C-alpha cells in the first residue's frame, strides 16, 4: 500500500522531503561566509561576500518555496488519482451491485465518498519521515552515540503524550457534543412551551433547571484549554531535553577545538530532531486507522 501511494505521487514526496533537509545548512553556511569575510584572508572584496550572503538567502528562500510547491503537487497527484479510481469504480458498478443481496452496499459507498482523500498522504509520508529521522540521527550520533537511547525515550514520551490527545478526541469531544445536543433539545422544548410556562408562572423553576446544563459548555471549553496546555507543556519538555543534550555536546565540541560552522551545523540538526521525532510519532499513531479506511476504498475499487 505504501509503495503504491509513493508511485501515485510519482516520487515527488520523496524529493520534497529530502530537499527540506538541506535547509539546516543555511545557518552554518551563512556563518562560514561571515567568518571568512571577517578574516579577510581570501583576497575577495566586500561586494563578493555581500553578494554571496544575498544569494544564500535567496537560494534557501527559493528552496523553501520549492519544497512547499512539491508537497502540494504530491498531494494533488494522490487525491486526483484516488478520486479518478473511485469515480471509475462507481461508474462501472451498475445496479447489479445493489441487487445481489448486499444490504450494506449503499452505506459502504457513502462511507467511502465521505472520506477526506488528502489524509491518505500520511500513509506515504510515514516511511519517508522515518528515513529522514534515521538519517538525521545517524549523522548526529557520530558525535554522540548515546543519542539513539535519547531518541527511543523521546519517542516513547511522545507516544504517551498522544494518549492525552486521543482521550480528548475519543472521550472529551463526544461528551461535549452530547451535552450540547441535549442542551439544544431542552432549549427548543422550553421555547416551544414558553406560553404555557408563563401562564403557570414557572419561569424561575425552568431557569434554575436549565442553568447547570448551560454552564456545562464553559466548563468543557475550560477542560479543552487545559488539555491543550498540558499537551503543549509535555511536548515542550521533551523538546527541551533534546536542546539541553545538544548544548552539552556543542560545549564538548568547543572544548575539543571544533570549528564554529561544524558546531552550528550539529546544533541545527540536533535541534530539528525533536520536531522530527514528534512528527514521526504523530504519523505512526493514526497509521493503522488510515490503513483501515483505505482498505474500505480498496474493497470498493476491487
Amino acid at each position: 500500500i505504501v509503495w503504491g501511494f509513493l508511485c501515485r505521487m510519482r516520487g515527488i514526496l520523496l524529493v520534497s522531503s529530502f530537499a527540506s533537509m538541506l535547509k539546516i545548512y543555511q545557518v552554518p553556511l551563512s556563518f562560514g561566509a561571515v567568518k571568512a569575510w571577517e578574516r579577510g584572508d581570501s583576497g575577495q572584496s566586500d561586494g563578493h561576500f555581500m553578494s554571496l550572503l544575498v544569494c544564500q538567502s535567496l537560494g534557501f528562500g527559493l528552496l523553501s518555496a520549492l519544497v512547499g510547491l512539491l508537497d502540494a503537487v504530491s498531494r494533488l497527484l494522490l487525491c486526483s488519482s484516488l478520486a479518478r479510481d473511485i469515480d471509475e469504480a462507481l461508474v462501472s458498478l451498475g445496479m447489479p451491485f445493489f441487487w445481489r443481496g448486499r444490504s450494506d452496499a449503499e452505506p459502504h459507498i457513502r462511507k467511502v465518498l465521505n472520506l477526506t482523500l488528502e489524509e491518505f498522504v500520511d500513509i506515504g509520508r510515514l516511511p519517508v519521515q522515518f528515513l529522514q529521522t534515521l538519517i538525521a540521527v545517524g549523522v548526529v550520533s557520530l558525535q554522540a552515540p548515546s543519542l539513539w537511547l535519547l531518541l527511543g525515550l523521546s519517542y516513547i514520551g511522545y507516544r504517551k503524550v498522544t494518549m492525552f490527545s486521543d482521550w480528548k478526541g475519543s472521550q472529551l469531544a463526544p461528551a461535549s457534543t452530547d451535552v450540547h445536543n441535549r442542551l439544544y433539545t431542552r432549549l427548543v422544548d422550553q421555547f416551544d412551551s414558553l406560553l404555557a410556562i408563563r401562564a403557570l408562572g414557572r419561569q424561575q423553576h425552568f431557569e434554575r433547571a436549565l442553568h447547570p446544563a448551560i454552564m456545562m459548555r464553559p466548563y468543557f471549553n475550560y477542560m479543552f484549554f487545559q488539555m491543550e496546555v498540558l499537551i503543549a507543556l509535555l511536548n515542550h519538555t521533551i523538546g527541551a531535553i533534546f536542546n539541553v543534550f545538544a548544548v552539552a555536546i556543542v560545549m564538548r565540541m568547543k572544548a575539543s577545538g571544533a570549528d564554529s560552522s561544524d558546531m552550528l551545523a550539529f546544533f541545527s540538526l540536533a535541534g530539528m530532531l525533536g520536531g522530527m521525532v514528534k512528527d514521526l510519532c504523530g504519523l505512526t499513531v493514526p497509521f493503522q486507522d488510515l490503513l483501515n479506511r483505505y482498505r474500505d476504498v480498496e474493497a470498493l475499487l476491487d
Side-chain angles (χ1 to χ4, degrees), residues 90 93 97-98 104-114 300:
L90 291 176
L93 284 179
F97 180 77
F98 301 92
D104 60 336
E106 184 176 352
H108 178 67
I109 292 177
R110 291 182 181 274
K111 184 179 180 180
V112 171
L113 294 179
N114 289 330
L300 177 64

Side-chain angles (χ1 to χ4, degrees), residues 30-239:
S30 301
F31 184 78
V34 171
K35 292 290 289 185
W37 190 3
E38 182 182 10
R39 289 194 305 266
D41 54 2
S42 60
Q44 301 292 339
S45 63
D46 293 344
H48 171 78
F49 286 105
M50 181 62 69
S51 60
L52 180 61
L53 290 174
V54 171
C55 290
Q56 284 183 3
S57 178
L58 291 176
F60 281 103
L62 291 175
L63 178 63
S64 299
L66 179 62
V67 169
L69 177 62
L70 291 177
D71 186 74
V73 170
S74 64
R75 290 174 178 269
L76 178 62
L77 288 174
L78 177 64
C79 293
S80 60
S81 176
L82 288 176
R84 182 173 58 252
D85 291 345
I86 292 175
D87 183 65
E88 292 176 356
L90 291 176
V91 171
S92 62
L93 284 179
M95 290 307 297
F97 180 77
F98 301 92
W99 291 341
R100 293 180 216 162
R102 301 187 61 172
S103 59
D104 60 336
E106 184 176 352
H108 178 67
I109 292 177
R110 291 182 181 274
K111 184 179 180 180
V112 171
L113 294 179
N114 289 330
L115 292 175
T116 304
L117 298 180
E118 190 176 357
E119 65 186 5
F120 292 133
V121 178
D122 291 340
I123 295 179
R125 193 182 299 277
L126 176 62
V128 178
Q129 183 69 31
F130 177 77
L131 189 58
Q132 268 188 308
T133 307
L134 194 63
I135 294 174
V137 174
V139 173
V140 177
S141 62
L142 295 176
Q143 293 291 336
S146 58
L147 192 66
W148 290 101
L149 177 61
L150 182 63
L151 173 68
L153 295 176
S154 300
Y155 181 80
I156 294 174
Y158 281 124
R159 285 296 297 264
K160 296 298 182 182
V161 173
T162 56
M163 293 174 58
F164 293 101
S165 300
D166 293 340
W167 181 83
K168 184 183 71 172
S170 61
Q171 301 293 330
L172 195 58
S176 175
T177 303
D178 182 63
V179 168
H180 176 75
N181 292 336
R182 285 192 281 113
L183 172 62
Y184 181 77
T185 302
R186 293 179 62 181
L187 284 173
V188 172
D189 291 342
Q190 184 169 334
F191 180 80
D192 293 340
S193 306
L194 191 59
L195 293 178
I197 293 174
R198 288 182 176 178
L200 295 173
R202 305 291 292 175
Q203 296 95 321
Q204 295 294 331
H205 170 77
F206 280 94
E207 288 180 2
R208 286 194 300 269
L210 197 60
H211 182 264
I214 294 176
M215 290 303 299
M216 289 296 291
R217 289 296 296 173
Y219 293 152
F220 270 109
N221 292 336
Y222 179 75
M223 292 175 65
F224 276 113
F225 175 74
Q226 292 298 324
M227 286 296 299
E228 292 292 340
V229 171
L230 177 61
I231 293 171
L233 176 63
L234 294 175
N235 285 330
H236 285 302
T237 301
I238 299 174

